[in-house]
Amino acid sequence: MDTTGRVEAIWTTSAEGEPMASRERVEAVPGGLAGDRYQRGTGYYTPFDVCEVTFIAGEAIDAIHREAGIDLSGGEHRRNVCTRGVDLATLLDARFQVGEAIFEGTRPRPPCRHVEQVAGIGGLMDALRERGGICADVVDPGEFGVGDRVQFLEKTEFDGEALATAIEDRRG
């Protein structure tokens, strides 16, 4: 289980349907990345299905290019943060640090037809299936940039066994 990686690329856009812009550094703020469409409330799925920050694995982008011939290096995946070397599934129901910011992985981010329509790439939704990345909430704001470490901190899901052990230990 790879729980440490690096930020390979950062993408934001100020409004739904606008092209993603590459960033070297960004500020994670309450609600998302400063100036990004979902943090501003102008995303396509606002207010129904908001992911504050989306992460996608660089390895998934590589596989899509190899298998489907689709180049997503220009942010066509419409995810905010591209990582390398970390298994994003390990960050679900967990807190993790990126640069100065702390996030909590909340759920997988499946692809949708809207991504395919905005990117204008036929087959993109199917290519992203099972590789769409994850959603995360900003827990502790801070700045991060390309090359910064992505570090697992702790699981946040309810662990009944750990609770039972703690109660037993407390009772002596």
Side-chain angles (χ1 to χ4, degrees), residues 59-168:
E59 294 84 356
I61 293 171
D62 295 345
I64 289 167
H65 190 244
R66 250 189 342 271
E67 297 166 15
I70 297 173
D71 181 6
L72 300 176
S73 62
E76 296 84 358
H77 46 72
R78 303 204 53 88
R79 303 307 192 250
N80 297 122
V81 182
C82 178
T83 63
R84 175 81 50 189
V86 62
D87 178 359
L88 294 178
T90 66
L91 304 180
L92 289 172
D93 297 316
R95 289 211 170 139
F96 59 98
Q97 186 165 357
V98 182
E100 299 170 352
I102 296 177
F103 298 90
E104 185 170 325
T106 58
R107 63 189 170 93
R109 185 63 178 167
C112 63
R113 184 76 51 209
H114 179 68
V115 168
E116 185 171 297
Q117 291 168 342
V118 171
I121 301 172
L124 179 57
M125 187 174 112
D126 288 334
L128 281 169
R129 195 172 316 283
E130 304 300 319
R131 303 184 262 219
I134 67 169
C135 296
D137 289 344
V138 176
V139 174
D140 192 11
E143 189 176 294
F144 68 93
V146 172
D148 282 357
R149 210 165 103 158
V150 177
Q151 175 68 51
F152 170 89
L153 298 175
E154 64 183 350
K155 279 304 222 183
T156 57
E157 66 187 353
F158 176 74
D159 181 356
E161 186 177 319
L163 178 61
T165 301
I167 292 169
E168 188 176 306

Side-chain angles (χ1 to χ4, degrees), residues 8-25:
E8 187 168 81
I10 303 168
W11 301 93
T12 63
T13 186
S14 61
E16 179 268 316
E18 294 296 317
M20 299 294 279
S22 176
R23 310 271 304 269
E24 282 299 311
R25 297 199 68 71

